[in-house]
Amino acid sequence: MATRDSKSPDLERSLALLWSGRAGGRRGPRPKLSVEQIAQAAIRVADADGLEALSMQRIAAELGYSTMSLYNHIPSKDLLLEVAADIGAGQPPEIDGTADFRDAVRQWVAALWAGFQTRPWILRVPIDHSPIGPNQLAWLDRLLRPLLAAGLAGGQARAAAMHLTAVVRGTAQISVDLAKSNQTSAVELGRLLDEVIDERAYPALAAVHAAEAVETAETAEHEGHGLPVELDFGVNRFLDGVEAWVASHGKGRSPGAM
């Protein structure tokens, strides 16, 4: 993922827009049109008709302003998407402080997964720098808490959080893409594959495919927090790895020990 220099005007502009009117303490009358209002209108359009329907002209019409009025507040569509994605992500879940770190992480993953299913257009918003928006930072902070509590040091916790976020986001992207392009049910797809997977040509794949037919029925009722089986399995193994790392390297070891 490419990152911009911390002093770049583009990054500073993103930061200003993402926090515009959202940090509190603003004095004086509210402007007739704000970054928040424009972003909320963009979210409504994207929710209703997808990201491809989103344009400055469409939003201006929705709000009853000229397109130029929008550009006076948000200079480009790319910046608008960045702000809309941050606001559209909403706040992270409130996690029971008494929950162990595994359950806390799984609650976080389930909430992020649900958010991507509700607003899949967020997955299509380009990412070209680290999280800097209020909601993005809140989601990161909420995940870092149980990872730190588990015994990971600062740099380790951030690396683990980035990895887990990428796993959830990537799995959600694949899920959304498949849902759009393939209306075949999992059962029907399994039957089709039965006809083409030759165990002599694909011995490992044939063995996995046969096992999956049995596992699907057995594990469907045990899916955790509404997660698909493949993501649930991956998250659990990720958590196993965190526990094993902490147990073998000691709680609170410095990030340089990674």
Side-chain angles (χ1 to χ4, degrees):
M1 179 176 64
T3 58
R4 297 176 177 151
D5 183 88
S6 61
K7 296 181 180 179
S8 76
D10 287 345
L11 186 56
E12 291 179 0
R13 186 166 55 178
S14 290
L15 190 65
L17 287 172
L18 284 162
W19 288 87
S20 176
R22 298 168 67 188
R26 185 187 182 97
R27 296 182 178 180
R30 292 179 61 84
K32 292 183 178 179
L33 186 63
S34 67
V35 170
E36 175 90 18
Q37 289 173 315
I38 297 170
Q40 290 289 359
I43 291 170
R44 290 193 295 272
V45 171
D47 283 348
D49 301 318
L51 207 60
E52 60 276 3
L54 194 60
S55 69
M56 300 297 267
Q57 293 82 0
R58 168 80 180 269
I59 297 169
E62 292 276 334
L63 293 172
Y65 284 85
S66 68
T67 304
M68 186 55 64
S69 296
L70 270 60
Y71 281 115
N72 288 336
H73 289 78
I74 302 180
S76 71
K77 182 179 176 181
D78 286 344
L79 288 168
L80 170 62
L81 292 177
E82 188 173 0
V83 178
D86 185 73
I87 295 176
Q91 285 288 303
E94 291 295 337
I95 297 174
D96 183 358
T98 64
D100 67 25
F101 100 95
R102 293 184 69 106
D103 192 52
V105 169
R106 286 169 57 80
Q107 289 179 47
W108 185 94
V109 168
L112 185 61
W113 173 263
F116 286 144
Q117 300 305 304
T118 301
R119 287 184 166 150
W121 57 265
I122 291 179
L123 294 164
R124 296 181 55 199
V125 175
I127 300 175
D128 59 1
H129 55 70
S130 299
I132 59 174
N135 287 341
Q136 292 173 321
L137 292 178
W139 277 89
L140 177 58
D141 178 82
R142 199 61 52 85
L143 177 57
L144 287 173
R145 294 180 197 181
L147 293 176
L148 290 170
L152 293 179
Q156 298 164 356
R158 179 181 285 275
M162 289 179 62
H163 174 75
L164 190 58
T165 301
V167 168
V168 180
R169 186 182 182 92
T171 305
Q173 183 67 71
I174 293 172
S175 172
V176 170
D177 289 346
L178 289 177
K180 286 183 178 180
S181 63
N182 186 2
Q183 300 302 317
T184 304
S185 69
V187 174
E188 184 178 355
L189 179 61
R191 291 172 179 168
L192 291 173
L193 289 176
D194 281 339
E195 300 176 5
V196 297
I197 296 180
D198 186 332
E199 64 180 8
R200 292 170 298 181
Y202 311 104
L205 180 59
V208 169
H209 181 63
E212 283 179 334
V214 177
E215 292 172 358
T216 299
E218 294 179 348
T219 61
E221 63 184 49
H222 299 298
E223 288 185 15
H225 297 285
L227 299 178
V229 173
E230 62 273 17
L231 182 57
D232 187 52
F233 178 85
V235 170
N236 280 326
R237 301 297 74 76
F238 168 86
L239 296 174
D240 290 345
V242 169
E243 287 185 318
W245 169 267
V246 171
S248 62
H249 291 76
K251 185 171 183 177
R253 188 169 178 177
S254 66
M258 290 181 66

